Amino acid sequence: MAKITASVFTSHVPAIGAAMDLGKTQEDYWKPLFAGYDFSKQWMKDNKPDVIFLVFNDHATAFSLDMIPTFAIGTAAEYTPADEGFGPRPVPKVKGHPDLASHIAHSVIQQDFDLTIVNKMDVDHGLTVPLSLMCGEKDPVKDSWPCPVIPFAVNVVQYPVPSGQRCFNLGKAIRKAVESYDKDLNVHIWGTGGMSHQLQGARAGLINRAWDNAWLDQMIADPAACAATPHIDYVREAGSEGIELVMWLIARGAMSDVPYNDKDATDLIAARAHSVSVKHRFYHVPASNTAVGHLILENN
């Protein structure tokens, strides 16, 4: 009875959050970037979900080098914004959806994906910056986010990291889990991180506009082929942190035009009966030292 109706994709650059928190959004440097999300904020108001399943990566706040789960799902009732060294962002706490999160965890693990269950964690800019971009600035005391959020953390920081294909297949499993939930819910799935950027080494500051946009084209039109992109391509073309884009493939794999099993005729026919609409696409460089990509897809 629950259904994924849309997917949202966006970069989660920490400097974006700082620009919002410090009142710099209308400065010449930042204004073009935030203008690219004007449509998105109105779209969120017009298409408010009941739950957001938000795929992000932790930046050594909830997890450290002592323990790094490949995939971790938050099942708590509430998540506090993390202190990343400069104090927590002045944004509301994030309300969870323990019942749906636990259902998804059970279903996905039964589909042979190993998840780490997280009953308590703070959430950093990887999760709060996308919420701010899509929902606008919020007072941490007076306001709240528009709906509960299920945090889903993916390790793209410490190798080995999951392949794009693994992430894409996981998205299919998440969609199956959501659709087996017995309450009528409108669910959005968000993939965050990227696009091209490198934070260290001889290529620090790398941005590859042409590659980013070609990758976006393929993710929209031929996501199965996009999922086959090897890790070395991300590192070579999009920089060491460009690997964050595999998280977008989780959200893309959860859309209804993707068959669960491309060797099953019934699944193929069902998927071909569906399509996705591109409601908004935006690309901007740079934001700090990162290429910012943003996309909204709706299931038809």
Side-chain angles (χ1 to χ4, degrees):
M1 293 175 65
K3 184 173 289 188
I4 293 173
T5 59
S7 53
V8 172
F9 308 83
T10 184
S11 303
H12 59 214
V13 184
I16 293 175
M20 297 184 80
D21 301 340
L22 298 173
K24 296 183 176 183
T25 60
Q26 296 306 303
E27 291 185 0
D28 289 345
Y29 181 86
W30 289 109
K31 191 173 182 178
L33 183 142
F34 287 103
Y37 287 84
D38 287 344
F39 173 93
S40 308
K41 286 184 282 190
Q42 185 59 50
W43 178 88
M44 271 295 289
K45 292 176 182 177
D46 296 339
N47 298 272
K48 180 183 173 184
D50 297 310
V51 184
I52 296 167
F53 187 95
L54 201 154
V55 184
F56 72 110
N57 64 287
D58 176 70
H59 301 81
T61 53
F63 310 111
S64 71
L65 293 179
D66 294 337
M67 181 181 65
I68 309 173
T70 302
F71 301 118
I73 186 168
T75 54
E78 186 177 81
Y79 306 90
T80 299
D83 184 345
E84 299 181 65
F86 301 94
R89 288 193 64 216
V91 295
K93 290 183 178 181
V94 177
K95 301 296 183 183
H97 198 300
D99 193 57
L100 178 59
S102 297
H103 171 83
I104 291 172
H106 179 87
S107 175
V108 169
I109 289 170
Q110 290 298 310
Q111 293 178 67
D112 299 328
F113 286 90
D114 297 325
L115 305 184
T116 298
I117 310 300
V118 184
N119 294 312
K120 182 181 180 181
M121 69 172 169
D122 292 345
V123 290
D124 65 20
H125 72 269
L127 185 136
T128 63
V129 166
L131 286 173
S132 294
L133 283 169
M134 294 296 297
C135 305
E137 297 173 64
K138 301 289 183 182
D139 184 278
V141 177
K142 299 177 182 178
D143 298 329
S144 61
W145 300 115
C147 69
V149 177
I150 298 174
F152 191 87
V154 180
N155 170 40
V156 289
V157 175
Q158 176 70 47
Y159 276 82
V161 304
S163 68
Q165 187 65 60
R166 183 71 168 163
C167 290
F168 188 60
N169 292 341
L170 175 57
K172 300 179 189 181
I174 291 167
R175 181 174 88 238
K176 184 175 286 189
V178 169
E179 291 176 348
S180 67
Y181 188 65
D182 63 0
K183 294 180 182 177
D184 187 14
L185 292 176
N186 172 14
V187 180
H188 288 181
I189 184 165
W190 294 12
T192 72
M195 294 188 84
S196 62
H197 63 302
Q198 179 152 329
L199 302 181
Q200 69 289 309
R203 297 198 307 162
L206 178 148
I207 290 177
N208 191 339
R209 181 191 295 265
W211 192 88
D212 284 343
N213 280 286
W215 189 90
L216 268 178
D217 291 341
Q218 187 177 52
M219 190 192 71
I220 295 166
D222 191 358
C226 192
T229 303
H231 278 167
I232 190 62
D233 285 11
Y234 290 100
V235 176
R236 181 180 58 242
E237 302 294 342
S240 54
E241 279 68 49
I243 193 63
E244 290 180 354
L245 284 169
V246 298
M247 296 188 290
W248 294 32
L249 289 165
I250 296 177
R252 187 65 182 91
M255 297 298 281
S256 60
D257 65 327
V258 175
Y260 291 121
N261 182 348
D262 57 14
K263 295 185 172 75
D264 185 304
T266 302
D267 279 348
L268 283 168
I269 292 169
R272 287 169 182 163
H274 294 272
S275 61
V276 297
S277 296
V278 177
K279 303 305 293 185
H280 184 54
R281 178 171 173 171
F282 174 67
Y283 183 83
H284 177 80
V285 294
S288 184
N289 53 3
T290 303
V292 172
H294 175 41
L295 184 69
I296 298 174
L297 300 180
E298 287 184 4
N299 279 325
N300 294 327

